[in-house]
Amino acid sequence: MRRAEALSLMLSLLPLGAHSRPRARELGLRIGRLAPGPLDAITDVKGVRVGHTTLNRGEGPLVPGQGPVRTGVTAILPHGGDLWHDKVPAAAFVLNGNGEVTGLHWVNESGLLEVPILLTSTMNVPRVADAAITWMLRKHPAIGITEDVVLPVVGECDDSALNDARGRHVTEADTLAALDGAAEGPVREGAVGAGTGMICYQFKGGIGTASRRAETPGGTFTVGALVNANHGRRPELLIAGVPVGREIPERLVPPGAHSIIIVLATDAPLDHRQLGRLAKRAALGLARTGSNAHHSSGDFVIAFSTATRLKAMGALETISRLTDEAADPLFEAAAEATEAAVIHSLLAAETTTGRDGHVAQALPLDRLRVVMAANGRPLAPGK
Amino acid sequence: MRRAEALSLMLSLLPLGAHSRPRARELGLRIGRLAPGPLDAITDVKGVRVGHTTLNRGEGPLVPGQGPVRTGVTAILPHGGDLWHDKVPAAAFVLNGNGEVTGLHWVNESGLLEVPILLTSTMNVPRVADAAITWMLRKHPAIGITEDVVLPVVGECDDSALNDARGRHVTEADTLAALDGAAEGPVREGAVGAGTGMICYQFKGGIGTASRRAETPGGTFTVGALVNANHGRRPELLIAGVPVGREIPERLVPPGAHSIIIVLATDAPLDHRQLGRLAKRAALGLARTGSNAHHSSGDFVIAFSTATRLKAMGALETISRLTDEAADPLFEAAAEATEAAVIHSLLAAETTTGRDGHVAQALPLDRLRVVMAANGRPLAPGK
Amino acid sequence: MRRAEALSLMLSLLPLGAHSRPRARELGLRIGRLAPGPLDAITDVKGVRVGHTTLNRGEGPLVPGQGPVRTGVTAILPHGGDLWHDKVPAAAFVLNGNGEVTGLHWVNESGLLEVPILLTSTMNVPRVADAAITWMLRKHPAIGITEDVVLPVVGECDDSALNDARGRHVTEADTLAALDGAAEGPVREGAVGAGTGMICYQFKGGIGTASRRAETPGGTFTVGALVNANHGRRPELLIAGVPVGREIPERLVPPGAHSIIIVLATDAPLDHRQLGRLAKRAALGLARTGSNAHHSSGDFVIAFSTATRLKAMGALETISRLTDEAADPLFEAAAEATEAAVIHSLLAAETTTGRDGHVAQALPLDRLRVVMAANGRPLAPGK
Amino acid sequence: MRRAEALSLMLSLLPLGAHSRPRARELGLRIGRLAPGPLDAITDVKGVRVGHTTLNRGEGPLVPGQGPVRTGVTAILPHGGDLWHDKVPAAAFVLNGNGEVTGLHWVNESGLLEVPILLTSTMNVPRVADAAITWMLRKHPAIGITEDVVLPVVGECDDSALNDARGRHVTEADTLAALDGAAEGPVREGAVGAGTGMICYQFKGGIGTASRRAETPGGTFTVGALVNANHGRRPELLIAGVPVGREIPERLVPPGAHSIIIVLATDAPLDHRQLGRLAKRAALGLARTGSNAHHSSGDFVIAFSTATRLKAMGALETISRLTDEAADPLFEAAAEATEAAVIHSLLAAETTTGRDGHVAQALPLDRLRVVMAANGRPLAPGK
């Protein structure tokens, strides 16, 4: 177990450029019509921060409570300031509710987000939520005394095919590390953080991110997406419209089809109603990767805007927002960023062997090249 | 105007085989993975009936109230019996509510459908709804006296780019004709019925239909879709995943992006909750044709099952339904049938010149052949 | 029939002071805690206009298509200006969807109201909606040509116990008259307009209105309610918390329990999300009159704010709104105004004999006095 | 602290008959029209079990993390069998989402409940949810290995006015004790379990329960309600329609208005859609106690039926349900049971002094007698 832990630590310390697998743009793979931001990541929305804690240790047969461990936690922060007092407009959409993101009733009632978003595996949700409260309590000594109590937002996907899910291995320290380590800039993708044990279209999945720029009559804005992709069946997989999944029918892990959490960020000034509409468009992007939102899949979207800070104080507040007509191009950006983020998760994730020797195979890039070329979309030569 | 009217009548009397344009299967175009039913139409769900009244008369400059007229009405009946007393389970989903389908509050509250579904253009909705009431009153002399009053289900798309929309030209007789003429068997597609004035991805759109067979642990069932497609912008259009719209950038009519109504029928035993989930999957199929559900688009889905008759009488009723696990394959069928129905509407619709010389160009099949071949999906030689 | 028509006309011309029945405040009946506005009516919200057309003719046995006629139409306008271009924030809530208000999908998607609200009986909805389109088309010659098409908002209750519902007697002229006659100032209540054939808690019901003033940290605002009350069973009826219905068990007309439409207006600056919350509180006020929202009752609420005009033009809009904390007192005002409006409808409505000699008895004020006194709430002496 | 702990333990061991405060029927207080079941409790629905763990220790100034502790956990189980494999139909309704009940997305998607319902204070939710997982894992060794992972259902109200909320004092053992101790029969009410630190209409609140029998054409059924009541402002309080709150304006604790969780159980055969409708009616009963569902109040309802066991296995399932017409009387029962449960919580709860000397005053029964008598509803002489 020690060797795996060391390796995991080492990998997590590697500079991002050291990814052994290329992203879409490096492959010459174009998803959609719109241009991505500089990082093609949710962090192209200025101020957004992402942090991961990856737990990857142990091998061999499952010993419930002990391992092997293939799980983790990922934190997304709308900005680096005081989330509790500088709230942001937000909304959620549930495409298929076979899963959980805690705190969404409050997000949709208030129209705002006042806590970080955390992603983890299903049965770790309470421990991660408890740690999120700890993190908030430490920052805000008045919470629960003279200020309101806090409702954490924690989304889950099920990693039990690879991970000792019963062990609930994510500790308070792991969650605090993801929150405190959250940073702007490039985002690690694939089998990291909450993505460590994910399976997507019966390939290894996990964290993926992307962004798209949309020109609107009110200015050019960015929509960023970050997904934890754990959904879909192999034959469904579409990459840029090409039915790649049907062409690579080998090495199917057990069915899966277990959820995706999608986080959308934008710097466009949108209010709750408009962000709810944006969130729905993430489902359209997801569909273009082949998803049919299976019964067993919890498909949740949460969207926020960084353009406004809501103090929830005083009697009146004045909000600037795009008109609905002007906001329309953001819908396409939301769909495309989501589609690209899912594909990025597949491109980034490396083959992972989990509990009981279960193997989640990485999307084989050589095979992908062949299939894409045969469908009139040759990838760039190289890596 | 007389010539156009005669032509319209003549066309409406032509046998279905006389379509001058091929359907997907005749082109060798495969949409999705699942097999269609014998007709690749909503009428593959036994008992379902479709009827159209097409209003296509007049040319030249718009004279509000007089024409030109490019509109109509389409009727979908779940079965040929007594809809009022032999109700069927049903549910609706609204992807984007910039539009109207009347009666959906009752469908979603009761979980059933007890009237025909009618489609027409936006400002004709009240006249068509009034005619639907007339049709129901004639069949049921106790309605409004000893039985409940009736709430019609009428969906709209906006055909004002081609049609004298202010004229509200659909008469009571037109609606009764669509209802009384509704029949099993092949369904006319394209610029017929409510589809007469539709524009889809800035090509001529309108009525399209398709079906898919799904094998479930509870048996093999059919999901059929019928759409009135009036949505989307050209560059978005995907056909079987190929970005066809970007490759045919010419002859764009005014933007459009004005709504799609999707009707799903299935012979699988599903209840209201399950049909609501099925309806959501239609949005996923729609997404695969490129839709981003624009602000100005009213994107509505209504789904019903023909497997059960609900009498809404007595104290107890016993319902058989698929378990959610068993019903899962129907989700893919719903998405694929919807995707195929949209493409069928584009394939069927012929170039239509409307008011003020506005031309909605048919999807050019020669160009389509070239684009599909260049993307590794050559169509069948022929027509 | 002529005599009844003349009487109906005469009544509709009577000054409001000529009501033969007192309102709550004249009776010394206090509903709730908050103070009403000067008129205790929805028109206490400045700019709001109400108009009625009452159709009350014929007697004796039902001759479907001919009468007797006990129906009508009521119009509520958010302001007296250009509704189409000066839209107002709005939202709807459906407590029980056994009924219809057309156009609500668009209200909830866009968050605004751009047409008048019309109320009528169930099977008149299409004819009233068609007339609403006519009214809008006359005012706006660009609708359906260079501007969008229009989606009318028409709510229904079922008056078939008293009225020849199958006759659909509301003409286009009737609806235009209600719209053009809509005025600020006192509002006629009871068996007028859409309320003509209503039955509420098995007494004669119909139109009722009320208002409440709420002091908020952002200023004092008014919430006005107007209801068309056609719901409830006698034993349920509560007046100011007193179980009046149980104490007056005589002369029950056939069960009823057929819907209530509630319109809320406020001059407080609230956005769509907040108005949706306000609309929900109307259900709480309704509950305090005894309603259990029966299966057969279509219980709909639509709320709008007159504080903002939305042009839906340009790229950016700036909105002022109360913070949620500051808006809280408006919730109580919405509940109380609704409760009072229902009671006002019962107080105002006079005994009405409809088709086939069906009699809807007015709430007997002498009996009410006795019951209220016995419950420690004596009414003012007098009338 | 020891003395308080000992007292708390002693109280929790007292036989139920030893309640020092009377229930509504003992006071001769009639809530609504329908007859209660034998216990006037949710446990009148056969099989339903309730368990409490009460944490009540420490006095004086708040020392965050140490106390004083006024909190707890309450468990409601639909039946005493295998909840995981013998699921029950269920649905949830959110009246105001300023709060949290975890797991509701899955309840509403699947239409069933497969775990116990737990209630606690806000920031204890994660720890209680984690313990619920522990409880399920112990019972079901295949969860997370060959069976699905588990999504706990835990609802919260904020007890921070009395309790050291930051301390999150509910341990895993406390939750397991509530679950394992859950029993049929009489239910302790007031300041017990999750109700320990609750404040309702600015009196001491907490757990309350009630039941109502409804005669339907399909048989006589029971609807039971259990609430954790922490909502409302004093002047709003209505008891059986009498504005009691206005008459007892003294000793107001800090505003409060912090949430109510309502659990409905019925032995009537209802499906998910119907239970969703039932859940909405709980809001109507809540309204009759005076609630205006304040902004800061999380008002959640979850309803389940014990008449059916859903195995979620196999391909087809056959469900018996009441028709909607037959189910209608259950709506009144749901509203009345909820209304009565809230009043029961106020009647049962005893004055509680919490952190920093904050006192939540019990509803003074002598004052209640006076007010009720003055309003024509004298209570029974006695206690």
Side-chain angles (χ1 to χ4, degrees):
Chain A
M1 202 187 303
R2 288 298 159 91
R3 214 179 56 88
E5 275 182 291
L7 185 63
S8 167
L9 178 65
M10 214 171 67
L11 277 170
S12 76
L13 295 172
L14 278 176
L16 282 148
H19 265 307
S20 53
R21 289 167 60 96
R23 301 189 81 212
R25 66 171 72 177
E26 296 171 84
L27 285 171
L29 174 64
R30 182 182 173 189
I31 308 281
R33 295 192 313 126
L34 302 174
L39 298 170
D40 202 1
I42 195 170
T43 42
D44 285 323
V45 179
K46 198 170 171 315
V48 173
R49 283 148 167 79
V50 178
H52 298 299
T53 299
T54 303
L55 302 180
N56 187 338
R57 56 181 183 247
E59 281 168 27
L62 175 68
V63 183
Q66 296 187 37
V69 179
R70 300 285 182 279
T71 195
V73 57
T74 293
I76 303 100
L77 283 68
H79 59 75
D82 176 348
L83 299 177
W84 183 242
H85 294 105
D86 287 343
K87 308 170 202 282
V88 294
F93 172 66
V94 181
L95 173 62
N96 194 51
N98 195 333
E100 174 73 327
V101 181
T102 67
L104 293 192
H105 302 293
W106 175 224
V107 167
N108 276 338
E109 186 75 43
S110 65
L112 51 77
L113 179 70
E114 60 192 8
V115 291
I117 299 168
L118 286 154
L119 309 179
T120 190
S121 69
T122 312
M123 297 198 296
N124 278 318
V125 165
R127 295 182 182 186
V128 169
D130 191 57
I133 294 174
T134 298
W135 190 77
M136 293 293 289
L137 292 182
R138 288 184 186 169
K139 288 185 182 295
H140 303 285
I143 283 182
I145 302 176
T146 57
E147 295 186 346
D148 274 343
V149 287
V150 65
L151 298 166
V153 172
V154 185
E156 60 75 40
C157 298
D158 174 15
D159 56 18
S160 61
L162 299 176
N163 179 46
D164 169 27
R166 295 174 66 97
R168 293 172 277 171
H169 292 280
V170 182
T171 65
E172 181 170 87
D174 293 329
T175 299
L176 298 179
L179 286 162
D180 290 331
E184 296 182 279
V187 175
R188 287 179 55 87
E189 296 177 303
V192 294
T196 306
M198 300 291 116
I199 296 171
C200 179
Y201 295 111
Q202 296 176 276
F203 287 120
K204 184 70 190 78
I207 300 294
T209 189
S211 72
R212 290 293 181 272
R213 304 272 287 165
E215 289 175 29
T216 84
T220 300
F221 299 104
T222 299
V223 180
L226 182 144
V227 303
N228 196 21
N230 194 40
H231 67 281
R233 301 211 177 110
R234 180 71 61 79
E236 297 170 324
L237 173 62
L238 305 173
I239 296 183
V242 174
V244 171
R246 296 180 217 165
E247 305 298 326
I248 313 179
E250 307 87 0
R251 302 199 197 176
L252 303 175
V253 291
H258 282 117
S259 309
I260 179 169
I261 309 293
I262 302 169
V263 179
L264 293 181
T266 185
D267 53 5
L270 300 181
D271 72 6
H272 163 72
R273 179 182 58 81
Q274 295 173 315
L275 287 163
R277 303 177 83 198
L278 200 74
K280 267 189 174 176
R281 273 64 188 181
L284 305 181
L286 175 63
R288 284 190 208 124
T289 69
S291 170
N292 293 298
H294 286 291
H295 166 63
S296 58
S297 192
D299 301 343
F300 290 73
V301 191
I302 181 166
F304 61 82
S305 163
T306 61
T308 308
R309 296 286 184 278
L310 295 164
K311 298 283 183 185
M313 292 169 62
L316 273 166
E317 55 196 358
T318 300
I319 309 295
S320 280
R321 66 181 185 207
L322 288 176
T323 59
D324 282 354
E325 287 72 15
D328 195 26
L330 299 167
F331 288 2
E332 187 166 4
E336 286 196 5
T338 303
E339 181 184 0
V342 171
I343 302 308
H344 282 166
S345 86
L346 289 168
L347 291 175
E350 305 208 27
T351 297
T352 299
T353 303
R355 60 121 162 154
D356 299 318
H358 292 178
V359 179
Q361 194 72 20
L363 172 67
L365 299 183
D366 50 347
R367 297 287 296 279
L368 177 64
R369 285 182 187 286
V370 171
V371 177
M372 295 304 286
N375 282 271
R377 320 264 178 95
L379 301 182
K383 298 213 201 192
Chain B
M1 202 186 302
R2 288 298 159 91
R3 213 178 57 87
E5 277 182 290
L7 185 63
S8 166
L9 177 65
M10 215 171 68
L11 277 170
S12 76
L13 296 172
L14 278 177
L16 283 149
H19 265 306
S20 55
R21 288 168 60 96
R23 302 189 81 211
R25 67 169 73 176
E26 296 171 84
L27 285 170
L29 175 63
R30 181 182 173 189
I31 307 281
R33 295 192 314 126
L34 302 174
L39 299 169
D40 202 0
I42 196 171
T43 42
D44 284 324
V45 178
K46 197 169 174 315
V48 174
R49 282 148 168 78
V50 178
H52 298 300
T53 299
T54 303
L55 303 179
N56 187 339
R57 57 181 183 247
E59 282 169 24
L62 175 68
V63 183
Q66 296 187 35
V69 179
R70 300 286 182 277
T71 194
V73 56
T74 293
I76 303 100
L77 284 68
H79 59 74
D82 176 349
L83 299 178
W84 183 243
H85 293 105
D86 287 343
K87 307 169 201 287
V88 294
F93 171 66
V94 181
L95 173 61
N96 193 50
N98 195 335
E100 173 72 328
V101 180
T102 68
L104 293 193
H105 301 294
W106 174 224
V107 167
N108 276 339
E109 186 75 42
S110 66
L112 50 79
L113 179 70
E114 60 191 9
V115 291
I117 298 168
L118 287 153
L119 309 178
T120 190
S121 69
T122 312
M123 298 200 294
N124 278 318
V125 165
R127 295 182 183 185
V128 168
D130 191 57
I133 293 175
T134 298
W135 190 77
M136 293 293 289
L137 291 182
R138 287 185 186 169
K139 287 186 184 295
H140 302 285
I143 284 180
I145 302 177
T146 55
E147 294 186 347
D148 274 343
V149 288
V150 65
L151 297 166
V153 173
V154 185
E156 61 76 38
C157 297
D158 174 14
D159 56 18
S160 61
L162 299 176
N163 179 45
D164 169 26
R166 294 174 67 95
R168 292 173 277 172
H169 292 280
V170 182
T171 65
E172 181 170 88
D174 294 329
T175 299
L176 298 179
L179 286 163
D180 290 331
E184 296 181 280
V187 174
R188 285 178 58 85
E189 295 177 304
V192 294
T196 306
M198 300 292 115
I199 296 171
C200 180
Y201 295 112
Q202 297 176 277
F203 287 121
K204 184 69 190 78
I207 300 295
T209 190
S211 71
R212 289 296 181 271
R213 305 272 285 166
E215 288 175 31
T216 84
T220 300
F221 299 103
T222 299
V223 180
L226 182 144
V227 303
N228 195 22
N230 194 41
H231 67 281
R233 301 212 178 108
R234 180 71 61 82
E236 299 170 323
L237 174 62
L238 305 173
I239 295 184
V242 174
V244 171
R246 297 179 215 164
E247 305 299 325
I248 314 179
E250 309 88 0
R251 301 198 197 178
L252 303 175
V253 291
H258 281 117
S259 309
I260 179 168
I261 309 294
I262 302 169
V263 179
L264 292 182
T266 185
D267 53 5
L270 301 182
D271 72 7
H272 163 72
R273 179 183 58 81
Q274 295 173 314
L275 288 163
R277 304 177 82 199
L278 200 74
K280 268 189 174 175
R281 274 63 188 181
L284 305 181
L286 175 63
R288 285 189 209 126
T289 69
S291 170
N292 292 299
H294 286 291
H295 166 63
S296 59
S297 192
D299 300 342
F300 290 73
V301 190
I302 180 166
F304 61 82
S305 163
T306 61
T308 307
R309 297 287 183 276
L310 295 165
K311 298 283 183 185
M313 292 168 61
L316 273 166
E317 54 195 1
T318 300
I319 309 294
S320 279
R321 66 181 185 205
L322 288 176
T323 58
D324 282 355
E325 287 73 13
D328 194 25
L330 299 167
F331 288 1
E332 187 166 6
E336 287 197 3
T338 302
E339 181 183 1
V342 171
I343 303 308
H344 281 167
S345 85
L346 289 169
L347 291 175
E350 306 209 26
T351 298
T352 299
T353 303
R355 60 121 162 154
D356 298 319
H358 293 178
V359 178
Q361 195 72 20
L363 172 67
L365 298 182
D366 51 348
R367 297 288 297 280
L368 177 63
R369 284 183 188 286
V370 172
V371 176
M372 295 304 288
N375 282 273
R377 320 264 179 96
L379 301 182
K383 299 218 198 189
Chain C
M1 202 186 302
R2 288 298 159 92
R3 213 179 58 87
E5 275 183 290
L7 185 64
S8 165
L9 179 64
M10 214 171 66
L11 278 170
S12 75
L13 296 172
L14 279 177
L16 282 149
H19 264 307
S20 53
R21 289 168 60 95
R23 301 189 81 212
R25 67 169 73 177
E26 296 171 85
L27 286 170
L29 175 63
R30 180 182 174 191
I31 307 281
R33 296 192 312 126
L34 302 175
L39 299 169
D40 202 1
I42 196 171
T43 42
D44 285 322
V45 178
K46 198 170 172 313
V48 174
R49 283 148 167 79
V50 177
H52 298 300
T53 300
T54 303
L55 302 179
N56 188 338
R57 57 181 182 246
E59 282 170 23
L62 175 68
V63 183
Q66 297 186 35
V69 179
R70 299 287 182 278
T71 195
V73 56
T74 293
I76 303 101
L77 283 68
H79 61 74
D82 176 348
L83 300 178
W84 184 241
H85 294 104
D86 287 344
K87 309 171 201 285
V88 294
F93 171 65
V94 182
L95 173 62
N96 193 50
N98 195 336
E100 173 73 329
V101 180
T102 68
L104 293 192
H105 301 293
W106 174 224
V107 167
N108 276 338
E109 185 75 44
S110 66
L112 51 78
L113 178 70
E114 60 191 10
V115 292
I117 298 168
L118 287 153
L119 309 178
T120 191
S121 70
T122 313
M123 299 200 293
N124 278 319
V125 165
R127 293 181 184 186
V128 169
D130 192 57
I133 294 174
T134 297
W135 190 77
M136 293 294 288
L137 292 182
R138 287 183 186 169
K139 288 186 182 295
H140 302 285
I143 284 181
I145 302 178
T146 57
E147 293 186 346
D148 274 343
V149 287
V150 65
L151 297 167
V153 172
V154 186
E156 60 77 39
C157 297
D158 174 13
D159 55 18
S160 61
L162 298 177
N163 179 45
D164 169 26
R166 295 174 65 96
R168 292 171 278 171
H169 291 281
V170 183
T171 64
E172 180 170 88
D174 294 329
T175 300
L176 298 179
L179 286 163
D180 290 332
E184 296 181 279
V187 174
R188 286 178 58 85
E189 296 177 305
V192 294
T196 305
M198 299 293 113
I199 296 171
C200 179
Y201 295 111
Q202 297 176 276
F203 286 121
K204 184 69 190 79
I207 300 295
T209 189
S211 71
R212 289 297 180 272
R213 304 272 285 165
E215 288 174 32
T216 84
T220 300
F221 299 103
T222 299
V223 179
L226 183 145
V227 303
N228 196 20
N230 194 40
H231 66 282
R233 301 214 176 107
R234 181 71 61 82
E236 298 170 323
L237 174 61
L238 305 173
I239 296 184
V242 174
V244 171
R246 296 179 218 166
E247 305 298 325
I248 313 178
E250 308 87 1
R251 302 199 197 177
L252 303 175
V253 292
H258 280 117
S259 309
I260 179 169
I261 309 293
I262 302 169
V263 179
L264 293 181
T266 185
D267 54 5
L270 300 181
D271 71 8
H272 162 72
R273 179 182 58 81
Q274 295 173 316
L275 288 163
R277 303 177 82 198
L278 199 75
K280 267 189 174 174
R281 274 64 188 180
L284 305 181
L286 175 63
R288 284 188 210 127
T289 69
S291 170
N292 292 299
H294 286 292
H295 166 63
S296 59
S297 193
D299 301 343
F300 290 73
V301 190
I302 180 167
F304 60 82
S305 163
T306 62
T308 307
R309 296 287 184 277
L310 295 164
K311 299 284 184 184
M313 292 168 62
L316 273 166
E317 56 195 359
T318 299
I319 310 293
S320 279
R321 65 181 186 206
L322 288 176
T323 59
D324 282 355
E325 287 71 16
D328 195 26
L330 299 167
F331 288 0
E332 186 166 5
E336 286 196 4
T338 302
E339 181 184 0
V342 171
I343 303 309
H344 282 167
S345 85
L346 289 168
L347 291 174
E350 305 209 26
T351 298
T352 300
T353 304
R355 58 120 162 156
D356 299 318
H358 293 177
V359 178
Q361 194 72 20
L363 172 68
L365 297 182
D366 51 347
R367 298 285 297 279
L368 178 64
R369 284 183 187 285
V370 172
V371 177
M372 295 304 288
N375 283 272
R377 320 266 178 95
L379 300 183
K383 296 218 201 191
Chain D
M1 201 186 304
R2 288 297 159 92
R3 211 179 58 88
E5 275 182 291
L7 186 63
S8 166
L9 178 65
M10 214 172 67
L11 277 170
S12 75
L13 295 173
L14 278 177
L16 282 148
H19 264 307
S20 54
R21 289 167 60 94
R23 302 190 80 212
R25 68 170 71 179
E26 296 171 86
L27 286 170
L29 174 63
R30 181 183 175 190
I31 307 281
R33 295 192 313 125
L34 302 175
L39 299 169
D40 202 0
I42 196 171
T43 42
D44 285 323
V45 179
K46 196 168 173 315
V48 173
R49 282 147 168 79
V50 177
H52 299 300
T53 300
T54 304
L55 303 179
N56 188 340
R57 57 180 184 248
E59 280 168 27
L62 175 68
V63 183
Q66 296 186 36
V69 178
R70 300 287 182 278
T71 194
V73 57
T74 293
I76 303 101
L77 283 68
H79 60 75
D82 176 349
L83 300 177
W84 183 243
H85 294 106
D86 287 343
K87 307 169 201 285
V88 294
F93 172 66
V94 182
L95 173 62
N96 193 51
N98 195 335
E100 173 73 327
V101 181
T102 68
L104 293 192
H105 301 293
W106 174 224
V107 167
N108 276 339
E109 185 75 44
S110 65
L112 51 78
L113 178 70
E114 61 191 10
V115 291
I117 298 168
L118 287 154
L119 309 178
T120 190
S121 70
T122 313
M123 299 199 294
N124 278 318
V125 166
R127 294 182 184 186
V128 169
D130 192 56
I133 294 174
T134 298
W135 190 76
M136 292 293 289
L137 292 182
R138 287 185 186 170
K139 287 186 182 295
H140 303 285
I143 283 180
I145 302 176
T146 56
E147 294 187 346
D148 275 343
V149 287
V150 65
L151 298 167
V153 172
V154 185
E156 61 76 39
C157 297
D158 174 14
D159 55 20
S160 61
L162 298 177
N163 179 46
D164 169 25
R166 296 174 65 96
R168 292 172 279 171
H169 291 280
V170 183
T171 65
E172 180 169 88
D174 294 329
T175 299
L176 297 178
L179 285 163
D180 290 331
E184 297 181 281
V187 174
R188 286 178 58 84
E189 295 176 304
V192 294
T196 306
M198 299 291 116
I199 297 171
C200 179
Y201 295 111
Q202 298 176 277
F203 287 121
K204 183 69 189 81
I207 300 294
T209 189
S211 71
R212 289 295 181 272
R213 304 271 287 164
E215 288 175 30
T216 83
T220 300
F221 299 104
T222 298
V223 179
L226 183 145
V227 303
N228 195 21
N230 194 41
H231 67 281
R233 301 215 175 106
R234 180 71 60 81
E236 298 170 324
L237 174 61
L238 305 173
I239 296 185
V242 174
V244 172
R246 296 179 217 166
E247 306 298 326
I248 313 179
E250 307 87 359
R251 302 200 196 174
L252 303 175
V253 290
H258 281 118
S259 308
I260 179 168
I261 309 292
I262 303 169
V263 179
L264 293 181
T266 185
D267 53 5
L270 300 181
D271 72 7
H272 163 71
R273 178 182 58 80
Q274 295 173 316
L275 288 163
R277 303 178 82 199
L278 200 74
K280 268 189 173 176
R281 274 64 188 181
L284 305 181
L286 175 63
R288 283 188 210 126
T289 69
S291 169
N292 292 298
H294 286 292
H295 166 63
S296 58
S297 192
D299 301 343
F300 290 74
V301 191
I302 180 167
F304 60 83
S305 163
T306 62
T308 307
R309 296 287 184 277
L310 295 164
K311 298 284 183 183
M313 291 169 62
L316 273 166
E317 55 196 359
T318 299
I319 310 295
S320 279
R321 66 181 185 206
L322 288 176
T323 58
D324 282 355
E325 286 73 13
D328 195 25
L330 299 167
F331 288 1
E332 187 165 5
E336 286 196 4
T338 303
E339 181 183 0
V342 171
I343 303 308
H344 282 167
S345 84
L346 289 169
L347 292 175
E350 306 209 27
T351 298
T352 300
T353 304
R355 59 122 162 153
D356 298 318
H358 293 178
V359 178
Q361 194 71 20
L363 172 68
L365 298 182
D366 51 347
R367 298 288 295 280
L368 177 64
R369 285 183 187 286
V370 172
V371 177
M372 296 304 289
N375 283 272
R377 320 264 178 94
L379 299 183
K383 297 214 200 189

